[in-house]
Structures are given as C-alpha cells and as structure tokens.
Amino acid sequence: MTTTEAAPRMAGTASVLTRTHSLRQVLQVQSFQILLVLLVIFLIFAAMAPEVFPTWGNVRQIIQNVSILGVLGIGMTFVIVTSGIDLSVGSNLVFSGVVAAKVMQSMGDTGWGTAFVGIIVSIGCGLGWGLLNGVLIAKAKVPPLIVTLGTLGAALGLAQVITGGVVIREVPAVLQDTIGYGNVPGTTLPTISLIAIVLIVAFGIVLHKTRFGLYTFAIGSNEESARRVGVKVDRQLISIYALSGALAGVAGILSLSQYGTTAIAGQSATNLNVIAAVVIGGTSLFGGVGTIFGTVVGLFIPAVLQNGFVIVGVQPFWQQVAVGAVLVAAVYVDQRRRAAAARGHSAKDEGKKRLFRRRSN
C-alpha cells in the first residue's frame, strides 16, 4: 500500500474518531440527558393515552402552562449561574401583578392604554424588588438566601396589605383576549407562549454569546478571579438580580392576562418549582455552569408529568415525587461531574510537578 493510499484512510479514520468524540461529549451534557428523559416520559404517556396525550391540543396546553415559569426560569438561570439564589420570584410576581391590577382598576378603562400602563407598572415593580435584592447582596454582602427569603415575605405581605387579602378580578379584557388566551395570528400557538419563546431566545443569546453572559459565568466560576481580571462584580450582580426581578414583573402581567385574577395564594410553590427546573436542566447550584435550553427542558418535565398523570388517571401528587427524585439525581450527577473534573485537574497539576522535578534533577 502506497503512502498516498494510506493518507485518505488515516484522514477518514481521524474524521470518524472526531465525530465519535463529539457525540460522546454531547451525550455527557446534562441538559441533553434530561432532554432524553423528557422524551422517554412523553413517549410513555403517548403509548398509554394515544388518543389524547400526543395531540396538538394537549401539547399546546402544556406549552401554555410552562410559559410563565419559562420567563421566571430565564432570570433564575442567570442568578444560579453566579452561584446565587432568588427565592423571591413568586412573591415578586404576585406583588407586581397586584400593583398593576390596582393601577388599571383605578384608571377605570379597559382598553390598550390602561393595559400598557399596567404592563409598565408590573415590570417596574419587579425591577424595583430585583434592584433591592442586588444591592443588598452585592453592596451589603448579605447572603442571597437570606436577602431573597426576606424579600419573599416582604413582597407577599405587601401584596396582601394592598388588597386586604381580597383577590382582584378586574383585569382589562384586552389582556385576556390577546395575551392570556389569544393565538398568534394565523396559527394556534398561544400568544403568551410566543412572548416566552422570544424572551428565552433573546436571553439565551445574551447568556451564551455576549460579554454580559461571559461575566456571569466568570463570577459563578470564581468571583475573586473575576474581580482580578477587571469584572465589576458588584455591578454585574446588581444587574443580574434586577433582570430576575424585571422578568418576575413580566411574569406578573402574563399571570394576570392568563388567569384574570391576582391569585395571591396561587404562587406559593412557584419559586421552588422554578429553582428545581433550572437545576434539573443542568445549571449547577455551585455556579459557573448552566444553559437556558436546559432550563426550558427542566420546566417541561414536571409539566408533562402532571398533564400525563391527569390524563391516565394517576394522582397528580405523584408528579411531586417524580420531580423530587429527578432533582436529587440531577444534583448528584452535577456533584460527580465536578468531583471528576477536580480529580482531573489534580492529576494534571501532579503531572506538571513531576515533570518539573525531573527537569530540575
């Protein structure tokens, strides 16, 4: 065999090895593994209820149910990537929706002018709580768990003070007809889902393709190192918590549009559901690792489980058991991956030290 004949064969072998290595890397990504789990769950329910579960009408309902949590999940992903936490998103959603509803109620009109004011007020309220969280965490150096736990109670308490504990049901019809239950013109895709998709794509690009996202990962990987290379850590953290708050405000107006009520008592588990989805999707609680895509996949798992259990006649409470098991498994996998990476770094460092000793001798 000549050299010219061997070269193409070697190149082809190298190409196959490269593709195999790339496929192995993809399969090891936690968000992709969770996607496979979601696909398996979907196929199981589709086989158990083929005439109902896999239909577009049912899938559309699942997508619509996930939309509001998807908006909250964007901000939570940014926060957890920095190794922080935001327990206040559910209460922030409620407070923002309550204030927006009261403002729109006082205006007395039900047109788009009133609705637009309500949207601005809701986002502004959410942004205010987010800025408060960020300043206390970045400047006062209070742990994120304590700060957001405090604002969780404060926001919810103020919402109840404003309403006197009474649910507000007067929401402009245009919000419900167009955003809450309307479809994108010419399609059957819910408008609320399109809003969520646009935000997910936009902030996915921000997290993974911009300097803002790079700084976010840098802080989560090593905050002190980020400071030393010139990242303005305090300003970045304030911006991230402000973003999480503003998105909670967006979710607040979306919730008003979908349910037509402030639903003060209906968001008690929202923050934990969002955190669970983000972690299940592969974002590490220790910071430095995460994707918006993984968060979206993590949000669909409990939604599909709950929907499927209802359709096949299983108590939906089992959904909480299943999600809890998946959450623990996701954290376990993350810890194992980090431990393996740490061992790899230790082995490399030890190898460098031995090589240096040999050269010295």
Side-chain angles (χ1 to χ4, degrees):
M1 183 174 62
T2 63
T3 304
T4 55
E5 293 174 347
R9 185 174 299 177
M10 292 176 64
T13 303
S15 177
V16 171
L17 291 173
T18 300
R19 288 197 297 269
T20 303
H21 179 68
S22 300
L23 179 61
R24 188 182 298 114
Q25 285 183 319
V26 171
L27 292 174
Q28 289 175 346
V29 176
Q30 187 170 335
S31 58
F32 183 78
Q33 295 170 350
I34 295 299
L35 178 61
L36 293 179
V37 172
L38 175 61
L39 180 61
V40 170
I41 293 172
F42 186 90
L43 292 175
I44 290 173
F45 283 125
M48 295 177 69
E51 296 180 358
V52 180
F53 184 80
T55 62
W56 167 244
N58 187 55
V59 172
R60 179 187 182 279
Q61 185 63 46
I62 295 174
I63 294 173
Q64 186 170 1
N65 291 340
V66 168
S67 298
I68 294 175
L69 293 180
V71 174
L72 294 173
I74 298 169
M76 190 66 74
T77 303
F78 276 83
V79 168
I80 295 181
V81 164
T82 66
S83 73
I85 201 75
D86 189 353
L87 298 175
S88 66
V89 290
S91 297
N92 195 343
L93 180 158
V94 171
F95 178 86
S96 301
V98 162
V99 176
K102 291 292 285 187
V103 170
M104 291 187 290
Q105 186 183 54
S106 66
M107 293 178 69
D109 187 23
T110 59
W112 269 113
T114 300
F116 182 74
V117 171
I119 293 171
I120 298 300
V121 168
S122 184
I123 297 174
C125 289
L127 177 63
W129 282 109
L131 284 172
L132 178 61
N133 286 337
V135 169
L136 290 175
I137 291 167
K139 296 298 185 181
K141 304 302 179 185
V142 182
L145 178 66
I146 303 302
V147 171
T148 58
L149 185 61
T151 52
L152 178 156
L156 185 59
L158 286 175
Q160 292 173 327
V161 168
I162 293 171
T163 61
V166 178
V167 173
I168 300 174
R169 302 183 185 277
E170 298 177 19
V171 178
V174 290
L175 285 176
Q176 293 180 273
D177 295 340
T178 57
I179 297 178
Y181 290 98
N183 293 327
V184 178
T187 72
T188 56
L189 178 68
T191 304
I192 193 173
S193 300
L194 177 62
I195 294 171
I197 291 170
V198 170
L199 291 173
I200 286 168
V201 172
F203 284 103
I205 294 172
V206 171
L207 181 61
H208 301 292
K209 299 296 183 180
T210 68
R211 184 176 297 178
F212 185 88
L214 178 63
Y215 289 170
T216 302
F217 281 109
I219 292 171
S221 298
N222 192 314
E223 183 175 323
E224 186 57 36
S225 296
R227 290 184 190 275
R228 292 180 179 179
V229 297
V231 177
K232 292 182 172 58
V233 173
D234 290 353
R235 186 171 71 182
Q236 184 75 11
L237 286 174
I238 292 172
S239 299
I240 289 169
Y241 281 92
L243 171 64
S244 180
L247 289 170
V250 173
I253 200 68
L254 293 180
S255 178
L256 275 179
S257 303
Q258 184 171 13
Y259 301 112
T261 176
T262 50
I264 295 177
Q267 304 292 340
S268 57
T270 297
N271 51 352
L272 296 180
N273 290 338
V274 173
I275 292 170
V278 172
V279 175
I280 287 172
T283 300
S284 174
L285 284 170
F286 303 100
V289 176
T291 64
I292 298 293
F293 171 74
T295 294
V296 174
V297 175
L299 285 166
F300 270 99
I301 286 182
V304 170
L305 284 172
Q306 185 175 27
N307 181 271
F309 285 151
V310 171
I311 289 175
V312 300
V314 178
Q315 284 186 331
F317 302 113
W318 281 104
Q319 172 236 347
Q320 299 174 7
V321 177
V323 171
V326 174
L327 175 61
V328 172
V331 175
Y332 174 75
V333 169
D334 178 54
Q335 287 184 317
R336 290 291 299 271
R337 184 175 61 240
R338 283 181 169 271
R343 287 195 297 270
H345 286 304
S346 299
K348 288 182 180 180
D349 292 340
E350 185 62 28
K352 290 179 181 178
K353 290 179 181 178
R354 289 177 182 177
L355 181 60
F356 181 76
R357 292 194 195 103
R358 290 176 184 175
R359 290 181 177 178
S360 300
N361 295 333

